[in-house]
Amino acid sequence: MTDKIALEEHFITETLAPYAAGNQPTQDAAAFAVLRRRLADFGEGRLAAMDAAGIGYAVLSATVPGVQAEPDAAKAVALAQRANDELAEEVRKQPARYGGFAALPLQDPAAAGAELERAMRELGFHGAMINGHTHGQYLDEERLRPFWERADALAAPIYLHPCDPVGTPAMFAGRPELNGSVWAWTVEAATHALRLVLGGTLMRHPRVKIILGHMGETLPYVMARLDSRTRHSGREFAVEELPSAILRRQFWITTTGVCDPASLATAIANLGEDRVMFSVDYPYENGVEAAAFLASAPIPEAVRAKIGRGNAAGVLGLSYWKETGFTKKRSIKHPQQMLHQA
Ligand code: ZN
C-alpha cells in the first residue's frame, strides 16, 4: 500500500547541475553515475522506487547545494525562480504523487521571502528546503529578518538540510573521514538549528515550522544537556525559554538515513510522537530499507501511522483517502487574492 509521505526526496535539473559539481556523496564513480541518473528522473524510475517503499506522496527538493551556491545575488534570484518553475512543471504532471519544497535565493533575503510566497501561493509548494548556510551566512543573522517575517506570515515549513561547512574547521583538519554526511554535516546542521533557537529567530517567528532530517541531527538526544548547560552557563541569552521548549514547539524531524529503533525511541520520547515523520533521502538512501525499518519498529500502530503519514499530512496540508491517496488541502490562490491579503 502506498500510504506514506516522504519529505526529503531530492532532484536535479540541467539548470542546477553545474552547482552540484562539487557535491560528491560517494568516491565510487559508478555509484555516483547511478545517483545522478536517479536525481534527474521525475518519471518511472522515481515512481517505481516510491511504490516499492510504499510512498504515496513525495515532496521534492533540489539536491545540495542548489541555488544557494550561486555567488551573484541577482543571478540567484532568477535561478531560484527558474528552478521552482521547473519543479512546478514536474509536479503538475504527477499532482497526486509529487509536491514541492522551494529553492530560495537567500543571497537576497527580501527576494527569498518573496520567492517563498510565490512558491507557496502560486506554485502550490509546501514550503522550502534550505541547504544550510549561504556562502557562510546563517539564517539567524539580522539581515535575514525580512525573509523570516514572510515565512512567519505564511506559517511556512522550512526544511533545514545539511551542507559542507565553510572551509575546513580545525577539528576536522587531517581527518577527511569525518567529512560530508559521515559527521561534518551533522555538526553543521545541528549547529545551524541551534543558532535559530538560541539566537531568538524562532521565538520572534513562532509560526515557522523547522524540519530537520536524519532523526533530528542528534538534537533529540542532547535536549536535556542543552537545557541544563543553558541554565548553568551564567550567560545572558537572547531567549528566556529553554532550548527544549522551542525544539518541542517549532521542530519536526524526519527519519532519513537513521534506520535505528533506539534513535527513533529517543526522538519520540524527547520531541514527541507528533513530531517524527518518515522520509527516505532519495536517491542517497534506500527506500525499501527505510520502509522496512518503520514497519518493524516496536511502536504502537497509531504512532506508526502518525510517523508514516499523519504528522506530515498535518505539516504539509494534505488529506489522505485509502481509495484515492493524497490530495492537497491548500488551494492555490490567484495573485489578485494575494493583493487583497497584503
Ligand atoms: Zn538529503
Side-chain angles (χ1 to χ4, degrees):
M1 196 155 57
T2 51
D3 61 353
K4 287 195 288 295
I5 299 172
L7 304 88
E8 193 189 319
E9 317 309 321
H10 302 301
F11 72 87
I12 202 159
T13 60
E14 278 183 30
T15 308
L16 294 169
Y19 297 93
N23 176 21
Q24 287 274 3
T26 170
Q27 302 295 315
D28 178 337
F32 186 64
V34 171
L35 285 176
R36 274 305 165 90
R37 200 169 58 239
R38 288 181 180 162
L39 280 168
D41 172 28
F42 291 89
E44 280 174 26
R46 185 181 292 269
L47 290 166
M50 286 169 62
D51 290 344
I55 297 166
Y57 191 88
V59 187
L60 308 184
S61 52
T63 196
V64 72
V67 306
Q68 289 168 255
E70 169 56 51
D72 182 283
K75 278 189 192 161
V77 174
L79 183 68
Q81 288 169 354
R82 185 164 167 197
N84 291 330
D85 287 343
E86 285 174 347
L87 175 58
E89 192 56 45
E90 296 298 339
V91 170
R92 247 174 249 128
K93 291 179 201 164
Q94 296 287 349
R97 304 299 304 275
Y98 296 155
F101 275 140
L104 298 178
L106 290 150
Q107 294 88 333
D108 179 341
E115 183 60 10
L116 176 65
E117 179 150 359
R118 184 185 82 93
M120 289 182 74
R121 291 203 196 278
E122 291 180 38
L123 304 180
F125 286 6
H126 296 288
M129 171 74 74
I130 295 182
N131 287 318
H133 65 81
T134 305
H135 301 293
Q137 294 205 305
Y138 287 85
L139 290 165
D140 59 310
E141 292 172 21
E142 183 57 31
R143 64 189 290 276
L144 268 298
R145 234 179 235 250
F147 165 72
W148 286 114
E149 280 164 11
R150 269 311 167 102
D152 193 54
L154 293 160
I158 303 288
Y159 203 123
L160 183 57
H161 194 276
C163 68
D164 288 324
V166 179
T168 303
M171 64 181 157
F172 299 134
R175 283 270 75 91
E177 302 89 338
L178 293 168
N179 287 351
S181 51
V182 173
W183 182 239
W185 279 23
T186 306
V187 177
E188 173 73 29
T191 306
H192 200 165
L194 288 175
R195 291 180 67 113
L196 296 174
V197 170
L198 295 170
T201 309
L202 296 178
M203 181 195 66
R204 283 192 295 275
H205 304 106
R207 300 178 70 213
V208 170
K209 303 176 181 80
I210 301 293
I211 306 170
L212 294 176
H214 317 111
M215 209 65 92
E217 311 287 1
T218 70
L219 293 182
Y221 187 80
V222 297
M223 278 163 71
R225 173 81 173 159
L226 288 168
D227 281 359
S228 87
R229 291 299 92 193
T230 298
R231 272 202 202 97
H232 293 109
S233 74
R235 188 175 282 128
E236 284 276 326
F237 281 87
V239 285
E240 284 175 10
E241 289 175 294
L242 287 171
S244 66
I246 297 173
L247 287 164
R248 290 196 182 104
R249 183 178 64 231
Q250 279 172 268
F251 280 73
W252 280 255
I253 66 170
T254 69
T255 58
T256 50
V258 185
C259 297
D260 170 46
S263 302
L264 177 65
T266 302
I268 292 171
N270 286 349
L271 212 54
E273 64 184 46
D274 297 331
R275 297 307 176 106
V276 184
M277 307 184 286
F278 172 82
S279 288
V280 174
D281 202 356
Y282 185 83
Y284 304 107
E285 299 284 348
N286 183 316
V288 172
E289 194 184 313
F293 157 64
L294 180 61
S296 65
I299 50 176
E301 287 312 312
V303 176
R304 203 184 319 279
K306 279 184 176 184
I307 294 172
R309 67 170 174 272
N311 295 339
V315 170
L316 303 171
L318 293 169
S319 306
Y320 174 74
W321 305 97
K322 251 187 188 141
E323 296 74 23
T324 51
F326 293 97
T327 52
K328 296 177 179 77
K329 277 187 209 163
R330 246 179 229 138
S331 63
I332 301 168
K333 293 191 178 74
H334 190 269
Q336 206 56 36
Q337 284 172 288
M338 288 167 58
L339 281 177
H340 289 304
Q341 282 176 349

